[in-house]
Amino acid sequence: MSTAHVLGGVTVPLVTTLDDSGRPDAVAARPLLEALARARVHGLMLLGSNGEGALLPADSTAEFVAAVVEQWHALRPGGHVIVNVSAPGTVDMLRRAEFALRGRPDALVVTPPSYFTFRRDEVEAHIRAIERFEHPYAVYNVPKYATALTPETLGALLDSPWLVGMKDSSGDADAFAAFLAVVADRDDVAITQGSERDLLSALRAGASGIVPGVANIAPGAAVRLYELWSTDAAAAEAAQVVLAGLTRVHTIRPGVPAVKGILHDRGLIATPLPAPPLAALNRTELDALRATLDPDEAELIGTRRA
């Protein structure tokens, strides 16, 4: 599948830059967006787990989405921006979608509902509710945070003219293979891989793209893996090792605070602030991250502060 597809190629699940008051700030994202464009990244995913979407009020994100969409399309003509609008319940999900659509993203992204235990028909109804907007959407399977999507539910959604595919971050190879089988006869519906340790194996199995969180800090390795996986096995495997290895930053501080701290330390975002109740890195954590990243300095974007 071509990188022209909204889920094709390398999609970076972008961090959400915040100003000193904690509001999303697209101007502060400009250096990072420029660096990602220079690395030839194909697309962005906004407000996912790396983008702290669940912690940010929907009405605070509309201007950020619109500004990032405009900037990215200017920096990467033909590039795509997808926006996660997931929420535990359907009403909140639809409200988030309304705000996101003001920014004219290329597609929306929605997980199954969360918090409670839901029947399959309830999961399908929640996802299908987004179709009222008549806008392209993808399903996001992330069992760590939401009800697990099943191949049966994905298959039931294939009659939708608005479904463009799904992102799988389950880390379950058998489930991933089952999702690929469901869409095997649909060249318009893409399956992407979000698990950093499974990127190369997913592409070899038939994935249309990859969505690795560590591509925020090492986009070149992600692009290299995607571009070379079918033509240069050794280079692709080396890139996979780099990307999987970079997940070690989360052993020092899990998730967004580590990524934002690194990006701020390298001059790519104005503040390292995560959304409350997450706290920014302390100096000890930053020093530990610097030390653990030293072996991969050549792979990282930006330049570390003195």
Side-chain angles (χ1 to χ4, degrees):
M1 188 171 291
S2 166
T3 56
H5 189 281
V6 71
L7 296 181
V10 177
T11 299
V12 175
L14 193 74
V15 298
T16 301
T17 46
L18 305 180
D19 64 19
D20 290 334
S21 70
R23 288 189 64 84
D25 181 0
V27 174
R30 182 73 185 193
L32 177 57
L33 295 177
E34 291 174 343
L36 294 175
R38 287 193 297 272
R40 305 191 314 279
V41 163
H42 304 98
L44 308 174
M45 177 176 169
L46 308 184
L47 305 180
S49 52
N50 283 278
E52 302 170 277
L55 299 180
L56 296 168
D59 59 358
S60 76
T61 63
E63 290 183 7
F64 176 83
V65 168
V68 171
V69 169
E70 181 178 9
Q71 290 182 73
W72 188 250
H73 285 165
L75 288 166
R76 287 287 281 164
H80 53 264
V81 182
I82 60 179
V83 182
N84 179 45
V85 297
S86 301
T90 305
V91 172
D92 190 20
M93 181 271 287
L94 293 174
R95 183 168 180 268
R96 289 179 177 275
E98 289 173 352
F99 280 106
L101 286 170
R102 295 179 186 179
R104 300 185 179 182
D106 298 291
L108 301 175
V109 182
V110 60
T111 64
S114 60
Y115 191 84
F116 294 102
T117 299
F118 298 95
R119 300 184 321 220
R120 176 180 157 185
D121 62 313
E122 293 169 330
V123 171
E124 183 180 344
H126 175 82
I127 295 170
R128 282 194 181 276
I130 207 167
E131 295 175 6
R132 69 184 60 187
F133 298 111
E134 298 185 346
H135 192 81
Y137 76 94
V139 187
Y140 182 12
N141 184 42
V142 55
K144 181 179 180 181
Y145 300 123
T147 303
L149 186 73
T150 65
E152 292 76 19
T153 300
L154 178 62
L157 296 169
L158 288 180
D159 64 358
S160 171
W162 306 107
L163 180 71
V164 295
M166 68 166 286
K167 174 191 174 185
D168 181 52
S169 292
S170 67
D172 184 331
D174 291 337
F176 192 78
F179 291 128
L180 287 171
V182 168
V183 304
D185 296 329
R186 292 287 299 272
D187 58 9
D188 59 329
V189 178
I191 305 292
T192 65
Q193 176 61 270
S195 172
E196 277 105 340
R197 298 184 182 279
D198 303 308
L199 304 170
L200 182 55
S201 61
L203 289 169
R204 288 171 171 167
S208 302
I210 56 175
V211 195
V214 294
N216 278 281
I217 61 174
V223 171
R224 196 163 65 247
L225 186 152
Y226 179 80
E227 291 180 342
L228 299 177
W229 74 266
S230 64
T231 59
D232 189 334
E237 288 166 5
Q240 173 64 85
V241 169
V242 169
L243 293 166
L246 286 172
T247 61
R248 66 185 179 275
V249 301
H250 301 303
T251 65
I252 295 170
R253 181 69 184 278
V256 176
V259 177
K260 281 191 167 180
I262 293 164
L263 291 171
H264 178 254
D265 189 44
R266 304 186 71 81
L268 291 162
I269 61 176
T271 75
L273 298 177
L278 293 173
L281 297 181
N282 60 41
R283 185 68 207 192
T284 299
E285 291 168 328
L286 179 58
D287 287 343
L289 282 170
R290 283 180 160 191
T292 199
L293 288 172
D294 277 345
D296 292 305
E297 178 64 29
E299 295 287 357
L300 305 178
I301 57 174
T303 303
R304 195 169 75 181
R305 299 176 191 269

